[in-house]
Amino acid sequence: MKRQSAGQWLQLVGIGHGAIGAVIYRDVLTGVACDGFGSVPRRGDRAAAFWFMVAAPALWMGGRLLRSAEEHEDVPAQRAAGAVLTAVGVTGTAVMPKSGFPALIGIGGLLLGRSRRGRAVASARRPAPGRREKG
């Protein structure tokens, strides 16, 4: 049975984060788009919307890199990602309980659990490019 890729889960979190931000900050983002460059101050609604939206592609990219670590059986990278995601998820949940941070705890915990059991690769085992599968 193929296990779900933690990287794919993280990419889905990134997509969801962007979609939710586009809805929640719809009016603010429209104002930023109309006012153009230099219209986001250091604090306030516009700053909150900007940083919320910046997190979406960063989460997606992290998920893509994690998928690569899974495909190449890079257990130390997966373990590090699991530790960071868990720590950020726990901290975020503590300060913002009604948020999406618990998803990071779940993904990070999944990675840590798999790496401790010696099965950090979440995707189906595939040979690395240029290598033949043993068999």
Side-chain angles (χ1 to χ4, degrees), residues 42-125:
R42 291 183 187 194
R43 293 188 175 96
D45 288 347
R46 286 185 175 205
F50 173 80
W51 288 112
F52 192 95
M53 294 305 289
V54 164
L59 285 163
W60 186 91
M61 179 182 59
R64 179 59 194 95
L65 293 171
L66 181 53
R67 282 180 48 209
S68 183
E70 291 169 337
E71 291 165 5
H72 291 91
E73 300 183 24
D74 187 345
V75 176
Q78 293 177 66
R79 188 176 295 122
V84 169
L85 288 169
T86 302
V88 169
V90 167
T91 303
T93 301
V95 298
M96 291 180 78
K98 294 182 180 182
S99 69
F101 282 109
L104 298 184
I105 298 171
I107 296 168
L110 176 69
L111 285 164
L112 289 174
R114 286 179 179 169
S115 68
R116 285 196 181 106
R117 290 188 303 270
R119 297 186 313 227
V121 179
S123 60
R125 289 185 181 248

Side-chain angles (χ1 to χ4, degrees), residues 9-24:
W9 280 113
L10 190 56
Q11 285 184 293
L12 288 172
V13 168
I15 292 167
H17 202 273
I20 289 167
V23 171
I24 292 173

